mmCIF file of all heavy atoms in Angstrom:
data_model
loop_
_atom_site.group_PDB
_atom_site.id
_atom_site.type_symbol
_atom_site.label_atom_id
_atom_site.label_comp_id
_atom_site.label_asym_id
_atom_site.label_seq_id
_atom_site.Cartn_x
_atom_site.Cartn_y
_atom_site.Cartn_z
ATOM 1 N N TYR A 248 -12.210 37.347 17.532
ATOM 2 C CA TYR A 248 -10.906 37.855 17.098
ATOM 3 C C TYR A 248 -10.950 38.183 15.594
ATOM 4 O O TYR A 248 -10.470 39.230 15.161
ATOM 5 C CB TYR A 248 -9.810 36.826 17.387
ATOM 6 C CG TYR A 248 -8.460 37.290 16.915
ATOM 7 C CD1 TYR A 248 -7.719 38.206 17.652
ATOM 8 C CD2 TYR A 248 -7.953 36.834 15.699
ATOM 9 C CE1 TYR A 248 -6.492 38.664 17.197
ATOM 10 C CE2 TYR A 248 -6.730 37.292 15.233
ATOM 11 C CZ TYR A 248 -6.008 38.198 15.992
ATOM 12 O OH TYR A 248 -4.794 38.657 15.530
ATOM 13 N N ARG A 249 -11.535 37.272 14.817
ATOM 14 C CA ARG A 249 -11.602 37.471 13.357
ATOM 15 C C ARG A 249 -12.327 38.788 13.041
ATOM 16 O O ARG A 249 -11.860 39.594 12.233
ATOM 17 C CB ARG A 249 -12.339 36.297 12.713
ATOM 18 C CG ARG A 249 -12.310 36.290 11.193
ATOM 19 C CD ARG A 249 -13.154 35.177 10.616
ATOM 20 N NE ARG A 249 -14.579 35.471 10.689
ATOM 21 C CZ ARG A 249 -15.245 36.197 9.793
ATOM 22 N NH1 ARG A 249 -14.623 36.685 8.740
ATOM 23 N NH2 ARG A 249 -16.534 36.425 9.945
ATOM 24 N N VAL A 250 -13.455 38.999 13.738
ATOM 25 C CA VAL A 250 -14.235 40.215 13.486
ATOM 26 C C VAL A 250 -13.425 41.443 13.913
ATOM 27 O O VAL A 250 -13.434 42.475 13.229
ATOM 28 C CB VAL A 250 -15.604 40.132 14.222
ATOM 29 C CG1 VAL A 250 -16.346 41.454 14.160
ATOM 30 C CG2 VAL A 250 -16.454 39.011 13.617
ATOM 31 N N SER A 251 -12.669 41.289 15.000
ATOM 32 C CA SER A 251 -11.863 42.423 15.482
ATOM 33 C C SER A 251 -10.783 42.815 14.458
ATOM 34 O O SER A 251 -10.245 43.906 14.519
ATOM 35 C CB SER A 251 -11.221 42.086 16.834
ATOM 36 O OG SER A 251 -10.123 41.211 16.616
ATOM 37 N N GLN A 252 -10.479 41.909 13.559
ATOM 38 C CA GLN A 252 -9.438 42.175 12.565
ATOM 39 C C GLN A 252 -10.003 42.714 11.250
ATOM 40 O O GLN A 252 -9.284 42.823 10.266
ATOM 41 C CB GLN A 252 -8.656 40.882 12.280
ATOM 42 C CG GLN A 252 -7.883 40.357 13.466
ATOM 43 C CD GLN A 252 -6.883 41.374 14.002
ATOM 44 O OE1 GLN A 252 -6.036 41.868 13.274
ATOM 45 N NE2 GLN A 252 -7.023 41.722 15.287
ATOM 46 N N LYS A 253 -11.291 43.039 11.280
ATOM 47 C CA LYS A 253 -11.954 43.443 10.036
ATOM 48 C C LYS A 253 -11.275 44.679 9.412
ATOM 49 O O LYS A 253 -10.991 44.705 8.217
ATOM 50 C CB LYS A 253 -13.432 43.741 10.317
ATOM 51 C CG LYS A 253 -14.263 43.520 9.113
ATOM 52 C CD LYS A 253 -15.712 43.404 9.415
ATOM 53 C CE LYS A 253 -16.357 43.276 8.057
ATOM 54 N NZ LYS A 253 -17.690 43.560 7.995
ATOM 55 N N LEU A 254 -11.013 45.675 10.272
ATOM 56 C CA LEU A 254 -10.403 46.908 9.776
ATOM 57 C C LEU A 254 -9.030 46.628 9.155
ATOM 58 O O LEU A 254 -8.725 47.091 8.054
ATOM 59 C CB LEU A 254 -10.265 47.898 10.950
ATOM 60 C CG LEU A 254 -10.495 49.360 10.602
ATOM 61 C CD1 LEU A 254 -11.911 49.564 10.082
ATOM 62 C CD2 LEU A 254 -10.258 50.230 11.854
ATOM 63 N N GLU A 255 -8.278 45.857 9.910
ATOM 64 C CA GLU A 255 -6.921 45.506 9.448
ATOM 65 C C GLU A 255 -6.999 44.739 8.111
ATOM 66 O O GLU A 255 -6.214 44.989 7.192
ATOM 67 C CB GLU A 255 -6.228 44.656 10.532
ATOM 68 C CG GLU A 255 -4.831 44.205 10.207
ATOM 69 C CD GLU A 255 -3.830 45.361 10.067
ATOM 70 O OE1 GLU A 255 -4.094 46.450 10.610
ATOM 71 O OE2 GLU A 255 -2.805 45.165 9.365
ATOM 72 N N SER A 256 -7.982 43.818 8.036
ATOM 73 C CA SER A 256 -8.133 43.030 6.793
ATOM 74 C C SER A 256 -8.445 43.963 5.628
ATOM 75 O O SER A 256 -7.864 43.822 4.546
ATOM 76 C CB SER A 256 -9.293 42.037 6.894
ATOM 77 O OG SER A 256 -9.262 41.360 8.092
ATOM 78 N N LEU A 263 -10.490 37.985 5.531
ATOM 79 C CA LEU A 263 -10.020 37.012 6.537
ATOM 80 C C LEU A 263 -11.218 36.181 6.994
ATOM 81 O O LEU A 263 -12.031 36.636 7.801
ATOM 82 C CB LEU A 263 -9.388 37.753 7.724
ATOM 83 C CG LEU A 263 -8.801 36.870 8.820
ATOM 84 C CD1 LEU A 263 -7.626 36.034 8.322
ATOM 85 C CD2 LEU A 263 -8.344 37.729 10.019
ATOM 86 N N PHE A 326 -2.919 36.567 7.681
ATOM 87 C CA PHE A 326 -3.255 37.481 6.575
ATOM 88 C C PHE A 326 -2.640 36.994 5.257
ATOM 89 O O PHE A 326 -3.255 37.108 4.199
ATOM 90 C CB PHE A 326 -2.791 38.899 6.897
ATOM 91 C CG PHE A 326 -3.681 39.568 7.914
ATOM 92 C CD1 PHE A 326 -3.198 39.908 9.169
ATOM 93 C CD2 PHE A 326 -5.009 39.837 7.623
ATOM 94 C CE1 PHE A 326 -4.013 40.507 10.113
ATOM 95 C CE2 PHE A 326 -5.841 40.436 8.557
ATOM 96 C CZ PHE A 326 -5.339 40.771 9.812
#
Side-chain angles (χ1 to χ4, degrees):
Y248 178 79
R249 188 185 76 84
V250 171
S251 76
Q252 295 302 305
K253 207 163 176 199
L254 217 61
E255 180 64 22
S256 314
L263 183 64
F326 285 115

